[in-house]
Amino acid sequence: MSDTEPAIVISTDELARRLQGDRPPHVVFVGDADVYASGHIPTAGRVDFADLNHAEPPASGLLPPMAVLGEVLGNAGIRPDQTVIAYDDSGGGRASRLVWTLHALGHWRAGILDGGLAAWREDGHPLTSGEPAPGAETAPYPAELRSPEVVAGEEYIREHLDEPGVCILDARSPAEYRGEDLRAARGGHIPGAVNVDWGDNRDPRRSGRLRPLDELDALYRSRGLRRDQEIVAHCQTHHRSSLSYVVLRHLGFEHVRGYAGSWSEWGNRPDTPVITGPEPLPPENGRDSGGAR
């Protein structure tokens, strides 16, 4: 790993080392102002998670308009020439949403801090409190959708539902996937979607850090994901599935998209196909064991 092209997941010790280097990355906390003020990584900027999301009913979790997004990123001190390391205090989904957003803008030098704020604190690295001192007015980030290949919409999924080279990854809980936990007008899952709860990416033995790479690889292989496929990750609003997006990139999957509208769009539309029930059967036994609605 070079100092100019970091891995998409970085350890606390590696970040601490690089912050002392000649070209330190720009660190950004994604979360609430009161958490940031109570203790944050020195020099870190902040993005409110809500500012990375835009609602157009029935969908929420969409990318904001580019002009709005440019102001949000600029206010956090993010510039196109920087390496950005995002972190949060809520399991990695918020930080990963910023990484996915930057990737969509063609800003590929972006990653997350493994374990976030809790890991940084546990490993004894310094924190500073309070709000940042007022500085010079920041310029808006020149936001433009330069990498549309990491974004998927409802129409894209409809067009690729029956393609074996495209896998829909549902990062919600199994109860949401089966249709038992209803968070939209309809419950269930997209036909053929594979369910890997976003929480399964984290290692309960390591203070919320990600599982080791070999365990993550085995997890996704056990669900039938292949590196030659295009993976489309979603949850309810592409919050949880943003962590899945980062993990798949971490594992070396090169063709990964995020469905920003996610189930807030698919489950609230009356004309989208929906399946209820458990995980799909293996391909040799049938496409899906649930019932279409």
Side-chain angles (χ1 to χ4, degrees):
M1 179 180 66
S2 73
D3 281 348
T4 56
E5 296 183 3
I8 196 169
V9 177
I10 187 172
S11 70
T12 61
D13 289 344
E14 178 63 15
L15 177 58
R17 182 191 71 81
R18 293 190 58 209
L19 286 174
Q20 299 304 312
D22 294 335
R23 298 183 62 186
H26 183 56
V27 181
V28 179
F29 175 69
V30 186
D32 299 336
D34 58 343
V35 175
Y36 176 90
S38 67
H40 58 270
I41 297 174
T43 75
R46 187 183 75 86
V47 168
D48 193 314
F49 178 67
D51 290 340
L52 298 175
N53 297 268
H54 174 69
E56 291 183 14
S60 53
L62 302 174
L63 278 169
M66 290 295 112
V68 173
L69 193 54
E71 292 288 344
V72 169
L73 299 178
N75 288 339
I78 300 174
R79 302 191 311 269
D81 61 339
Q82 293 173 324
T83 294
V84 176
I85 302 299
Y87 76 102
D88 60 36
D89 68 331
S90 54
R94 292 180 173 186
S96 296
R97 173 69 188 224
L98 175 58
V99 170
W100 173 78
T101 299
L102 290 171
H103 283 187
L105 302 182
H107 191 140
W108 291 96
R109 297 209 316 271
I112 66 167
L113 175 64
D114 192 13
L117 179 61
W120 183 266
R121 181 182 287 117
E122 181 181 81
D123 291 347
H125 295 298
L127 292 168
T128 188
S129 60
E131 293 291 340
E137 185 175 348
T138 56
Y141 184 98
E144 181 181 337
L145 187 62
R146 297 180 179 87
S147 297
E149 69 273 14
V150 305
V151 180
E154 175 261 339
E155 183 177 347
Y156 180 88
I157 293 177
R158 282 183 187 267
E159 292 174 352
H160 295 84
L161 272 182
D162 296 317
E163 292 187 15
V166 177
C167 175
I168 309 301
L169 174 65
D170 189 328
R172 298 175 301 158
S173 69
E176 290 172 87
Y177 178 91
R178 292 191 297 264
E180 298 163 3
D181 183 353
L182 193 66
R183 303 190 183 187
R186 295 184 296 160
H189 57 271
I190 297 171
V194 174
N195 183 214
V196 182
D197 189 317
W198 79 304
D200 291 344
N201 293 302
R202 297 191 297 272
D203 190 341
R205 303 161 297 185
R206 300 175 63 237
S207 300
R209 293 171 172 86
L210 295 177
R211 294 181 183 275
L213 276 172
D214 59 341
E215 292 185 18
L216 290 169
D217 185 62
L219 170 64
Y220 284 97
R221 281 193 293 106
S222 73
R223 299 299 204 276
L225 274 70
R226 307 190 314 269
R227 282 171 174 75
D228 64 335
Q229 292 175 309
E230 182 159 69
I231 313 298
V232 182
H234 84 88
C235 56
Q236 182 71 21
T237 58
H238 196 39
H239 166 202
R240 293 170 284 177
S241 55
S242 287
L243 178 63
S244 305
Y245 169 89
V246 164
V247 167
L248 290 171
R249 294 279 182 185
H250 182 44
L251 285 169
F253 285 77
E254 295 182 0
H255 308 292
V256 191
R257 296 176 182 257
Y259 174 23
S262 284
W263 199 255
S264 70
E265 179 175 47
W266 195 273
N268 279 316
R269 289 183 63 104
D271 57 344
T272 49
V274 170
I275 298 288
T276 58
E279 282 273 11
L281 293 172
E284 63 271 18
N285 294 326
R287 179 168 177 80
D288 197 294
S289 60
R293 301 199 317 173

